[in-house]
Amino acid sequence: MEYFIDLIGRYKAKGLLIDTNLLLLYFIGTYDQDRIPQFKRTMSFTVDEFLLLDAIFTNFDKVITTPNILTEVSNLSGQLPGDLRSHFYNDFAKRIPKLDEQYTSSAKISSSAHFSKFGLTDSGIVDTVKGNYLVLTSDLELFGYLQNLGIDAINFNHIRPLAW
């Protein structure tokens, strides 16, 4: 626990980059917490885990994202049913400007050594953070890769029990 607190302290002013599935959880939860266990893309999480994620967000001066992460969140949330999807997109649109969106060209990302392993979104995360931001992910493979590169990251699965 002390390790996580130290990381949060070191990156408070720099920022936190949230991976796709956790950002989706955050947006669904801020829209409607009751939807978390009902939506197939967030049902593996609990409302308490959303609340933990929300509490983590408040410890950072800025939350970092990329166009690729936002596109994935948009595409995954597009699986919400009809009218709910429209209302969610309106809420989503209001929240996007609160994020610090970092852009790296797809051409540059696709030329990286890790592109063939991770594809566009996760390779973009690796290229964006490089010691500048703390990464919060629930993707074990990405987490391990970041750790091997010496990039600070927190695996949300390691702190999920704190929500219980």
Side-chain angles (χ1 to χ4, degrees):
M1 181 63 177
E2 198 169 307
Y3 171 73
F4 299 120
I5 293 170
D6 177 57
L7 280 177
I8 290 170
R10 277 194 280 150
Y11 287 92
K12 177 182 178 26
K14 291 181 180 182
L16 175 71
L17 185 140
I18 309 289
D19 198 4
T20 301
N21 289 332
L22 295 175
L23 193 58
L24 177 64
L25 170 63
Y26 179 76
F27 281 125
I28 295 291
T30 54
Y31 173 71
D32 179 4
Q33 291 180 21
D34 294 333
R35 181 64 45 192
I36 293 169
Q38 298 172 8
F39 182 44
K40 70 179 179 177
R41 293 300 182 169
T42 56
M43 63 181 15
S44 65
F45 297 101
T46 67
V47 171
D48 285 341
E49 290 166 342
F50 159 72
L51 294 172
L52 173 62
L53 181 61
D54 189 44
I56 291 169
F57 269 49
T58 64
N59 285 290
F60 291 89
D61 294 344
K62 57 185 173 179
V63 175
I64 311 303
T65 194
T66 68
N68 304 82
I69 292 171
L70 289 174
T71 298
E72 284 195 2
V73 168
S74 179
N75 288 342
L76 293 171
S77 60
Q79 297 173 15
L80 287 164
D83 287 347
L84 182 63
R85 181 177 47 243
S86 298
H87 292 182
F88 172 82
Y89 279 153
N90 288 332
D91 189 68
F92 181 46
K94 292 174 188 168
R95 295 179 189 283
I96 290 172
K98 296 177 183 175
L99 302 172
D100 185 342
E101 189 174 2
Q102 301 288 314
Y103 173 77
T104 304
S105 75
S106 296
K108 182 176 180 184
I109 294 169
S110 65
S111 69
S112 67
H114 40 264
F115 179 77
S116 62
K117 181 176 181 98
F118 290 105
L120 199 57
T121 301
D122 287 353
S123 293
I125 289 172
V126 175
D127 291 347
T128 298
V129 295
K130 296 202 179 179
N132 295 316
Y133 310 112
L134 178 62
V135 177
L136 182 61
T137 184
S138 58
D139 181 332
L140 183 60
E141 188 175 11
L142 177 61
F143 173 74
Y145 188 77
L146 292 168
Q147 292 285 280
N148 287 337
L149 291 177
I151 295 173
D152 288 326
I154 296 173
N155 184 333
F156 191 71
N157 295 312
H158 294 162
I159 60 173
R160 283 173 90 168
L162 298 176
W164 304 330

